[in-house]
Each structure stands twice: as structure tokens, then as C-alpha cells.
Amino acid sequence: MIELRDLRKEFAGVTALDGITLSVPAGEIHGIVGRSGAGKSTLIRCLTGLERPTSGTVRIGEVEITSARGAALRTARRTIGMVFQHANLLDSRTALRNVEHPLEIAGVPRSKRRARAAELLELVGLADRGGSYPAQLSGGQQQRVGIARALAAEPQILLCDEPTSALDSRTTRQILDLIRSLRDRLGITVLIITHEMSVVREVCDSVTLLADGQIENTGSIIDALSQADSPLSRALLPLPPSGRPSGTVVETLTTGISLDTALEAVRSSGADAHLDAGTVETIAGTVVGRLQFTVADAAGAQTLITSLAARDIHAEVA
């Protein structure tokens, strides 16, 4: 559905994107993560045709965005629905009329756009709030209206730019559940730009880490997590603070293994290991855990690592 090929973008000699090649299949929820300045915003602008890349191509479905001009580009942009960090609703319009707005611009007759807007508000759980103005809605409700508006023109892609960073944790979960539900019901492809790893863990099927305008890591969530030494794996599943352990520190990464099984493997190794910190989550239906142990000396640490490796548990001296 989304194909980027050797995408480069330079601004006055400064490289913002450096050879980005990425493929996102139809119906997938893909996360783009990276620190400030990594190139995320430039990537969005190239995807939507707001910026022309210096070289390379952007293809969405059968349309090559980089070569489209005029009416063809406007038509191509209608295949992309945008959801922003802040809903950016028009204060003078009700929720229903905010959802109608892109259809009104496209020249859709009033009766048809009114019916479509009502249908979408029901889809996002706001069937009874069509007559409410933005000031009468909570932040989560405003974001739901923004999502409904993004879906008005029946796009193939939902592009979400930090869609939950202005929301509390409970509302964030509700919005992510809604995005997943919409993907399942409508079959749309979703691209989420975010700095929140919790969002990626919660809803994404795959993820790409950008650093200095380049792809540092990309793949399915489980594949990314399984690369124990990668910055992306550590960011997706970080260890909580553990103080200052006295001894040799060993970290383990388990995929598809229960916590009880991992701890039993440690006990059966015979090493004098103490659990200092750990985090275990179910991500994409798979139990994933990162544990930190302190062992008295290097010899004991090696015994532990060798024993765990025999049980397909990755372990290394931190």
C-alpha cells in the first residue's frame, strides 16, 4: 500500500531524509518512531506531497505521489486521512459539521455529506454528540471527531501524527482501541508517527526507527523486540530503574516464554543470581520479558548465560 524507494530530502545542503526505503502492506498498522530531528515530520510532508523529495519515489497504492501534479495530486491526497496531535476542529462548527467539512470542500451535496458525517460519528462512538461544539467536548471526544473527519473521504490510509500525546493514559488507550477497530472494520492502512513507545507496543503490527534521516531498524514488533542489543528493542521494552547492583549484571530477553519458565531456567542453572529488575508484557499476542540479574562474579555470569542459551533465552553481561 505504501512504498518508499530511496527517498532523499535536502534543505539548503542539510540532509533530512537519507535513502529511506520502506514498504507498508495494506491493512497494517505501522509505527514510525525517532527522536526530535530524526526526520519524521519531513517524511510526513513527503508522503502527503506537501514536500517534493530531492530524489526517490513515494507510491500509495497505484499512485506515485512524487510525480503527481495539480488535480492528480489533489485526488491522490484524498486517499490519505490525517489525524493530528490536536484535533484542530473549527470552533464555530458542531461536531457533525466539522466532519462534513472536507466533503463540503470536495463539493459533495449537503444531504450526502450530512448522512456520511452522521454515519462516521456513530462509527467513532459519538452518535449523540453531533450537535455539540468543540468547547462542549472532552479532549478524547474531540480527537474522535478528528478521526471521523479524517475518514470522511473514505481514504485508503489513515496517517496519525502524534495522535495521543495530548491525552491522558485512559483516553489514549480508548483512542488506540478505536484506531485498531477502524482498521479491522474498514481494512485501512494506518501509519502512526509517535515518540511514545507505549503506543507502538499497544497497537502497531510493525515499526520503523528513524535516526538522523535514516532507517536504523524496521520490521514486525516481535522481530524488533527480538534484537536484544538494538536501541529499538530496549526502547520498546525498557527495564525499570534498579539502583546500583553489586556484582556482575546479566540481562535476559525472552520471547514467547512465561516468566515462571524463565525464572525456573535461572534457578536450574545453579548460578547464584538475584533478580534486580524486570518487565514482562504481552505484545502482539506474544509474552516478551526483559530481566536483570546480579551474579557474584564473571564466572557465575557465564554459567548463567550458557545455561539460558541452551533454553533459547538470550542473555548477556550488561
Side-chain angles (χ1 to χ4, degrees), residues 89-100 129-134 136-137 145:
L89 303 180
L90 298 173
D91 292 336
S92 61
R93 286 177 172 248
T94 62
L96 186 71
R97 293 196 62 213
N98 265 284
V99 178
E100 283 185 60
R129 301 307 299 267
S132 300
Y133 288 88
Q136 298 170 315
L137 301 173
V145 175

Side-chain angles (χ1 to χ4, degrees), residues 92 104 226 296:
S92 61
E104 184 178 346
S226 298

Side-chain angles (χ1 to χ4, degrees), residues 60 63 65 74-81 154-158:
I60 296 179
V63 179
I65 298 294
R74 289 192 293 274
T75 299
R77 283 174 177 160
R78 293 193 189 106
T79 66
I80 306 171
E154 301 183 63
Q156 299 173 329
I157 293 170
L158 191 63

